[in-house]
Amino acid sequence: MSTYRDFTHRGSARATVLRTVGTRERRSHLTAPRVPTVGIDIGGTKVMAGVVDADGNILETLRTETPDKSKSPKVVEDTIVELVLDLSDRHDVHAVGIGAAGWVDADRSKVLFAPHLAWRDEPLRDALASRLVVPVMVDNDANTAAWAEWRFGAGRGEDHLVMITLGTGIGGAILEDGHVKRGKYGVAGEFGHMQVVPGGHRCPCGNRGCWEQYSSGNALVREAKELAAADSPVAHGIIERVKGNIPDITGPLITELAREGDAMCVELLQDIGQWLGVGIANLAAALDPSCFVIGGGVSAADDLLIGPARDAFKRQLTGRGYRPEARIAKAQLGPEAGMVGAADLARLVARRFRRTNRRRVERYERYAQIYDQAANTIRGTRTAD
């Protein structure tokens, strides 16, 4: 089995990189080579890598913490390369797809801005392609998650799909007729940074009152920590669980306590869900999709979150009662959706790598044949002499 390390001595010139996938994603995925690819999901807190087959099945995953955002972008790139090399030792990987938590340009080569990472106009695709000998594709993590849900999950059969990913922040994506709508400059779908409360909470993006400051994992944890720090009577359950160490409060812990019936945690998830429903109603007014798919780590709260979101959506929807209502569904692929989608989109460019390699092998065989013929001629001449 060939691995990346087998090829590194041949130089970065052998790397094939994505220049464009074009607008044929819907048709192309049907004819993409059925080969294993690696998907990478980079968030504000974790980097998850996995080998995915052509049917969306995850063959192996690796996880690590996202390097501290105060460190150089190269530290994150080193982490990605290390994960890919590790996986390639056990799998014959043909392409790598990156789902990045940030704004990716229209060429899908640079991360223009990442609110939770130290990426500013970062040429991520080329930086990785220079170190790996397979095609590298870079896209926004919400776009890759939406693609995965449309291909393999809750969005199958939908022609107009909007994906909302609730994690550290809020990501979003639009998929129409089997094509991810990236916008003129590649940054469509950044719903988390719509302003919903003028002058509200400060957001890492630099603005105030962004939607993700009221409906995200960060918002959920912030509210719980504030109540705990104030020694609120409603927070005694979670204070007891973390033994008074407030920094240990996390989103999964809040969800766990809510499932156990902790009143404060249930209420916090309801608040997050209500803000989610308000934002979805606004998106429905603008985009009119047939389905909203809710993914990301916070969606693990299930109906504790999505139930209040559906109720708020129905209350806030423009023209309610006189128009069809979009379906709101929980993502089926869970937190792995971005990784699976990145791997599947990378499969669209694996074809180029295979064709390039095939042509290279054919040239090598021709040259070898010419060399052998010349050598035989020389040997024959020397024998005659």
Side-chain angles (χ1 to χ4, degrees), residues 24-87:
R24 305 191 198 97
E25 289 169 337
R26 184 176 190 177
R27 183 171 70 249
S28 296
H29 82 270
L30 298 173
T31 57
R34 296 182 62 81
V35 294
T37 51
V38 167
I40 308 282
D41 185 12
I42 308 171
T45 57
K46 68 169 176 31
V47 180
M48 180 166 54
V51 180
V52 181
D53 69 16
D55 297 315
N57 300 311
I58 301 171
L59 306 181
E60 183 181 355
T61 58
L62 298 173
R63 290 176 174 84
T64 187
E65 291 184 357
T66 303
D68 189 270
K69 62 183 178 181
S70 66
K71 297 177 182 178
S72 70
K74 187 177 182 299
V75 177
V76 182
E77 293 165 13
D78 290 343
T79 301
I80 295 169
V81 170
E82 183 178 343
L83 291 171
V84 172
L85 293 178
D86 192 353
L87 290 169

Side-chain angles (χ1 to χ4, degrees), residues 212-225:
E212 70 174 40
Q213 290 304 304
Y214 300 89
S215 185
S216 68
N218 273 356
L220 181 66
V221 173
R222 181 193 66 230
E223 294 297 312
K225 287 182 175 179

Side-chain angles (χ1 to χ4, degrees), residues 57-348:
N57 300 311
I58 301 171
L59 306 181
E60 183 181 355
T61 58
L62 298 173
R63 290 176 174 84
T64 187
E65 291 184 357
T66 303
D68 189 270
K69 62 183 178 181
S70 66
K71 297 177 182 178
S72 70
K74 187 177 182 299
V75 177
V76 182
E77 293 165 13
D78 290 343
T79 301
I80 295 169
V81 170
E82 183 178 343
L83 291 171
V84 172
L85 293 178
D86 192 353
L87 290 169
S88 71
D89 281 338
R90 295 176 295 281
H91 303 274
D92 188 15
V93 174
H94 290 251
V96 176
I98 310 291
W103 297 355
V104 178
D105 69 353
D107 291 333
R108 279 174 277 176
S109 61
K110 294 181 180 180
V111 180
L112 301 174
F113 177 76
H116 305 287
L117 292 169
W119 281 340
R120 304 293 183 267
D121 202 30
E122 179 65 25
L124 182 62
R125 184 191 69 190
D126 292 343
L128 292 173
S130 67
R131 302 171 67 177
L132 302 173
V133 250
V134 292
V136 176
M137 185 225 66
V138 178
D139 206 339
N140 174 266
D141 58 347
N143 288 342
T144 63
W147 179 264
E149 290 294 338
W150 176 72
R151 286 272 282 127
F152 309 112
R156 281 176 293 184
E158 298 286 352
D159 288 332
H160 293 79
L161 169 73
V162 170
M163 180 86 182
I164 307 293
T165 57
L166 301 178
T168 305
I170 292 181
I174 308 162
L175 197 145
E176 293 183 3
D177 296 323
H179 173 57
V180 178
K181 308 294 284 187
R182 296 180 176 87
K184 173 67 175 178
Y185 305 107
V187 297
E190 288 294 337
F191 308 134
H193 299 286
M194 300 185 302
Q195 188 183 60
V196 295
V197 179
H201 291 295
R202 176 72 71 181
C203 180
C205 77
N207 292 329
R208 288 185 177 274
C210 293
W211 185 24
E212 70 174 40
Q213 290 304 304
Y214 300 89
S215 185
S216 68
N218 273 356
L220 181 66
V221 173
R222 181 193 66 230
E223 294 297 312
K225 287 182 175 179
E226 286 180 0
L227 287 168
D231 199 25
S232 169
V234 300
H236 283 177
I238 200 166
I239 293 172
E240 182 178 349
R241 180 64 66 92
V242 299
K243 299 179 181 179
N245 192 9
I246 295 174
D248 287 346
I249 295 175
T250 64
L253 175 60
I254 296 169
T255 299
E256 179 185 341
L257 289 174
R259 288 198 177 109
E260 294 174 3
D262 183 277
M264 182 199 78
C265 293
V266 170
E267 183 176 341
L268 289 178
L269 282 169
Q270 288 176 340
D271 290 344
I272 297 297
Q274 288 170 3
W275 276 111
L276 176 61
V278 169
I280 289 174
N282 289 337
L283 291 174
L287 301 174
D288 191 29
S290 59
C291 177
F292 287 96
V293 176
I294 312 300
V298 183
S299 69
D302 300 317
D303 277 345
L304 288 168
L305 172 82
I306 296 179
R310 289 193 179 109
D311 292 341
F313 171 72
K314 291 180 179 179
R315 289 196 305 270
Q316 300 292 328
L317 182 64
T318 303
R320 51 193 175 275
Y322 296 95
R323 58 176 290 176
E325 294 183 3
R327 180 169 65 96
I328 300 176
K330 181 190 173 185
Q332 293 180 0
L333 303 182
E336 288 82 19
M339 180 187 73
V340 171
D344 198 59
L345 284 167
R347 193 168 290 107
L348 300 177

